[in-house]
Amino acid sequence: QLQTVQTDPGLRAHLLYLDLLEAGEDEAVTRALYTELARDYADSYSALYARSSYDPDRPLQVGRNMPDWTFEGFDGQAVRAADLRGRPYLIDVWATWCGPCVGEMKHLHAAWEALGGADGPIAFVSVSIDAQADTVEAFRRGKWAMPWINVHEPDDDALMAAWQFSGVPL
């Protein structure tokens, strides 16, 4: 009801987004709300946030293969999804300036160790979106060594657009 009397498009978009969050498991309602939000308020922040979770064509979603990717490792060598084919992997997109990203480091390290480290059944890949690679290297020399695969993607806007997500950690 509140949405129908609002004239501000940003507020209307956000109210639709809130309805979308409340829709829960009802796929028909979710699809209808997302369609309306994407169609009528495509340039709003609410539509941007909704895209990463509700767009039926989004590249990152349960049940879909991970999009093919190639990143530059800190040793200058390319690391590709194809290099890990046949082995499950956890991919973590993060940045040193992201408080929640740094906060989850202890959990990543605990999982890495619990799963057997480099000899474990799951490969870990951390993708830093920091602007400068040396910032990440300094971080890794500090408290968190991150002994798994580490790569760098300084063009965070391009990665966010390609994978349709709106923030880190991912």
Side-chain angles (χ1 to χ4, degrees), residues 75-86:
D75 59 1
Q77 299 296 313
V79 178
R80 297 171 203 60
D83 299 337
L84 298 171
R85 291 246 194 281

Side-chain angles (χ1 to χ4, degrees), residues 1 20 28 30 37 39 42 44 46 62 78 84 86-87 118 168:
Q1 289 174 336
L20 186 57
T30 299
L37 180 58
R39 180 191 65 227
S44 70
S46 298
V62 174
L84 298 171
R87 182 175 184 198
V168 291

Side-chain angles (χ1 to χ4, degrees), residues 30 51 60 83 98 101 108 114 121:
T30 299
R51 219 170 273 127
L60 301 181
D83 299 337
C98 166
C101 299
L108 280 171

Side-chain angles (χ1 to χ4, degrees), residues 129-151:
I129 60 169
D130 283 273
Q132 301 297 321
D134 58 347
T135 304
V136 182
E137 292 290 28
F139 178 90
R140 292 180 61 210
R141 283 191 299 273
K143 184 176 180 180
W144 302 112
M146 301 170 65
W148 49 80
I149 301 166
N150 282 268
V151 296

Side-chain angles (χ1 to χ4, degrees), residues 94-158:
W94 75 290
T96 60
W97 47 259
C98 166
C101 299
V102 174
E104 75 178 4
M105 280 297 153
K106 66 181 173 186
H107 303 292
L108 280 171
H109 279 78
W112 166 260
E113 290 178 21
L115 291 168
D119 297 325
I122 299 174
F124 282 45
V125 180
S126 285
V127 181
S128 166
I129 60 169
D130 283 273
Q132 301 297 321
D134 58 347
T135 304
V136 182
E137 292 290 28
F139 178 90
R140 292 180 61 210
R141 283 191 299 273
K143 184 176 180 180
W144 302 112
M146 301 170 65
W148 49 80
I149 301 166
N150 282 268
V151 296
H152 185 230
E153 176 51 65
D155 191 350
D156 60 335
D157 288 336

Side-chain angles (χ1 to χ4, degrees), residues 48-60:
L48 173 70
Y49 290 126
R51 219 170 273 127
S52 65
S53 297
Y54 298 102
D55 184 346
D57 297 322
R58 68 191 184 279
L60 301 181

